């Protein structure tokens, strides 16, 4: 039944394409709701965040699956704002030009758009790590707006710059550290770093491009710099909080 409702939502969006709003009273209202709601998420103001959710709220996420109630969403947000936030502080940024609003007669509105998620390093520095599309279903009931459904999908790694495949493939291969093999592999439009001990994976992370030779991880403040000689990659250097912690030679 829930899958049928989700399909119905997408059909509804398709049917309403010609009615998308980029300005006007409804657009301004939903745009303001988006701003306040996601500011509450960024600041982990869970009381404010919860006040926006309908009693029968549902959240469809392409990576994390289905959240079936308001209570379950708040439980998830408590984790997001607790131990997870200590390890990796994330903030959301709307791509404003992507925002489209579709009215739903006698119900509310559909909000459609794209957003970017940033890894927060400190008060002055943050770095983009992923990009996604979203659809919010807003319901106007008893003279107030409530968020009834969220669909979050097409999550992809997203760095400061996007490098072409030819450059990314230059860095592929194995690098010999003192205690492990570091494997670098192209995945989609970015790189993946994997630590191997006795040929078994013990850790991995996406690497996002900052410059043509410098990458950063989607967790902590770690940078990877590739060193080349005559366009051949010889080694990589690992920096944490700006301090060099190791250099690793490429072996193949």
């Amino acid at each position: 039944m829930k899958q049928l409702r989700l399909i119905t939502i997408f059909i509804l969006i398709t049917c309403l394409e010609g009615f998308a709003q980029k300005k006007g009273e409804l657009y301004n209202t939903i745009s303001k709701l988006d701003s306040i709601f996601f500011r509450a998420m960024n600041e982990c103001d869970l009381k404010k965040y919860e006040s926006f959710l309908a009693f029968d709220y549902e959240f469809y996420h392409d990576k994390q699956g289905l959240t079936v109630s308001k209570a379950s969403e708040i439980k998830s947000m408590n984790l997001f704002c607790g131990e997870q936030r200590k390890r990796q502080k994330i903030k959301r940024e709307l791509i404003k030009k992507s925002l489209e609003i579709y009215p739903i007669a006698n119900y509310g509105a559909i909000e459609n758009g794209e957003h970017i998620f940033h890894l927060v390093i400190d008060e002055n520095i943050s770095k983009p790590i992923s990009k996604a599309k979203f659809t919010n279903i807003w319901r106007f009931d008893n003279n107030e707006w409530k968020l009834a459904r969220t669909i979050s999908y097409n999550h992809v790694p997203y760095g400061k710059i996007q490098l072409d495949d030819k450059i990314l493939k230059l860095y592929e291969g194995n690098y010999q550290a003192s205690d492990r093999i570091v494997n670098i592999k192209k995945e989609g439009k970015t790189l993946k770093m994997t630590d191997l001990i006795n040929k078994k994976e013990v850790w991995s992370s996406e690497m996002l491009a900052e410059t043509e030779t410098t990458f950063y991880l989607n967790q902590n403040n770690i940078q990877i710099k590739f060193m080349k000689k005559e366009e051949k990659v010889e080694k990589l250097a690992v920096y944490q909080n700006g301090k060099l912690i190791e250099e690793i030679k490429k072996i193949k």
Side-chain angles (χ1 to χ4, degrees):
M1 180 61 74
K2 293 185 184 299
Q3 290 179 332
L4 181 59
R5 289 206 298 268
L6 185 57
I7 293 170
T8 302
I9 289 169
F10 277 115
I11 292 173
L12 182 59
I13 293 171
T14 302
C15 293
L16 289 173
E17 277 188 359
F19 299 94
Q21 296 185 6
K22 287 282 190 177
K23 59 182 180 179
E25 183 178 352
L26 181 63
Y27 179 90
N28 292 337
T29 296
I30 300 301
S31 178
K32 184 177 180 179
L33 288 169
D34 178 282
S35 177
I36 299 171
F37 177 70
F38 281 102
R39 187 187 309 132
M41 188 196 82
N42 287 340
E43 296 175 357
C44 278
D45 183 347
L46 297 188
K47 185 176 180 180
K48 173 69 74 174
Y49 184 91
E50 184 176 5
S51 72
F52 278 88
L53 303 182
F55 72 93
D56 57 347
Y57 177 73
E58 293 179 356
F59 185 11
Y60 298 82
H61 193 289
D62 62 349
K63 303 295 185 182
Q64 299 172 6
L66 173 63
T67 301
V68 295
S69 70
K70 178 178 179 177
S72 295
E73 173 62 11
I74 294 304
K75 182 178 180 181
S76 176
M77 284 299 297
N78 272 293
L79 291 174
F80 174 79
C81 292
E83 287 299 319
Q84 182 178 336
R85 192 174 180 87
K86 291 179 182 178
R87 299 192 307 269
Q88 184 186 39
K89 186 177 179 180
I90 303 296
K91 74 174 182 180
R92 177 261 195 184
E93 176 191 11
L94 173 69
I95 301 175
K96 292 184 178 179
K97 66 180 181 180
S98 74
L99 192 65
E100 296 178 337
I101 307 302
Y102 303 82
I104 305 176
N106 303 314
Y107 185 86
I110 295 173
E111 176 193 9
N112 222 27
E114 292 184 272
H115 44 204
I116 296 172
F117 295 92
H118 296 258
L119 174 66
V120 178
I121 304 300
D122 56 37
E123 291 182 357
N124 301 311
I125 301 174
S126 64
K127 299 180 179 182
I129 58 174
S130 68
K131 184 179 180 181
K133 297 180 180 181
F134 72 96
T135 297
N136 282 331
I137 311 298
W138 292 91
R139 182 166 66 216
F140 191 64
D141 190 22
N142 292 325
N143 291 316
E144 63 178 353
W145 288 94
K146 293 291 185 180
L147 185 55
R149 302 288 184 271
T150 296
I151 307 168
S152 187
Y153 58 103
N154 196 38
H155 289 80
V156 293
Y158 188 80
K160 283 189 173 181
I161 64 172
Q162 313 302 307
L163 299 178
D164 62 38
D165 291 351
K166 183 178 179 181
I167 295 173
L168 294 175
K169 281 187 170 293
L170 280 176
Y171 305 127
E172 287 191 317
N174 288 330
Y175 297 72
Q176 180 68 65
S178 61
D179 58 348
R180 69 199 188 283
I181 296 292
V182 178
N183 175 261
I184 306 294
K185 185 178 181 180
K186 175 183 170 299
E187 285 199 353
K189 293 297 181 181
T190 188
L191 296 176
K192 182 179 181 182
M193 168 183 272
T194 303
D195 285 354
L196 302 169
I197 296 178
N198 297 325
K199 298 182 179 181
K200 293 183 178 180
E201 179 179 331
V202 295
W203 175 88
S204 67
S205 178
E206 293 165 352
M207 300 171 60
L208 304 157
E210 194 161 23
T211 70
E212 187 173 313
T213 58
T214 306
F215 294 72
Y216 57 95
L217 303 190
N218 63 353
Q219 50 190 289
N220 302 319
N221 187 18
I222 296 177
Q223 285 184 309
I224 311 296
K225 184 174 183 179
F226 290 97
M227 300 177 184
K228 297 188 290 185
K229 184 176 182 180
E230 297 178 353
E231 295 306 308
K232 184 178 180 181
V233 178
E234 293 190 323
K235 60 183 177 179
L236 62 81
V238 182
Y239 296 83
Q240 186 167 21
N241 297 319
K243 181 181 179 181
L244 177 66
I245 58 174
E246 65 179 339
E247 292 187 349
I248 306 174
K249 185 177 179 181
K250 188 175 184 181
I251 54 177
K252 67 175 181 177

